[in-house]
Amino acid sequence: MPAPPSCWVSRRAWSRPGNQTIGVVRKGSQVLQHLPASADACVWLRLYQQELRGMVPKHPSEPLWWTPRRPFRPLEFDAARMVFTRANQLLGANWTLHDLRHIVSA
């Protein structure tokens, strides 16, 4: 079962690029669930992590996603939704975070 968007933009998430999975903590049960991710998703995630190396804490209890500006803060669901809103306005598109749950493992 795909994780809801609020799990992908989670306070806690782990990636296992070798297994091509990203683990998320389910909002209701607080259980860690490893979900399949595409090879491209794992590559882009690793590039993102390398870009932020040494600038944000890297620990399983820390967030996976961070705001792009200093001071770095955990990227919350509402902020990620606004990124999509601005991108949609520029592109004339209608994507949502919900759409990601259907394509993230493609």
Side-chain angles (χ1 to χ4, degrees):
M1 170 193 238
S6 59
C7 285
W8 286 104
V9 183
S10 173
R11 277 273 189 211
R12 293 174 289 162
W14 296 265
S15 82
R16 287 186 180 163
N19 296 339
Q20 284 189 251
T21 63
I22 297 177
V24 297
V25 175
R26 299 301 296 235
K27 206 162 94 174
S29 65
Q30 296 297 307
V31 172
L32 174 65
Q33 179 183 8
H34 283 276
L35 303 169
S38 69
D40 284 345
C42 291
V43 169
W44 283 108
L45 176 59
R46 185 68 180 136
L47 290 170
Y48 169 77
Q49 289 173 325
Q50 284 299 111
E51 187 177 316
L52 293 177
R53 188 176 186 169
M55 294 189 279
V56 297
K58 185 179 178 187
H59 188 270
S61 65
E62 296 292 342
L64 182 60
W65 306 108
W66 296 85
T67 59
R69 294 187 207 110
R70 292 178 190 245
F72 294 114
R73 294 181 305 273
L75 182 67
E76 301 289 344
F77 180 79
D78 288 336
R81 187 178 48 79
M82 288 308 300
V83 169
F84 269 71
T85 299
R86 287 190 299 273
N88 282 332
Q89 290 170 347
L90 289 171
L91 299 171
N94 191 25
W95 286 85
T96 67
L97 282 172
H98 179 81
D99 295 326
L100 288 182
R101 77 187 282 191
H102 300 292
I103 63 170
V104 77
S105 64

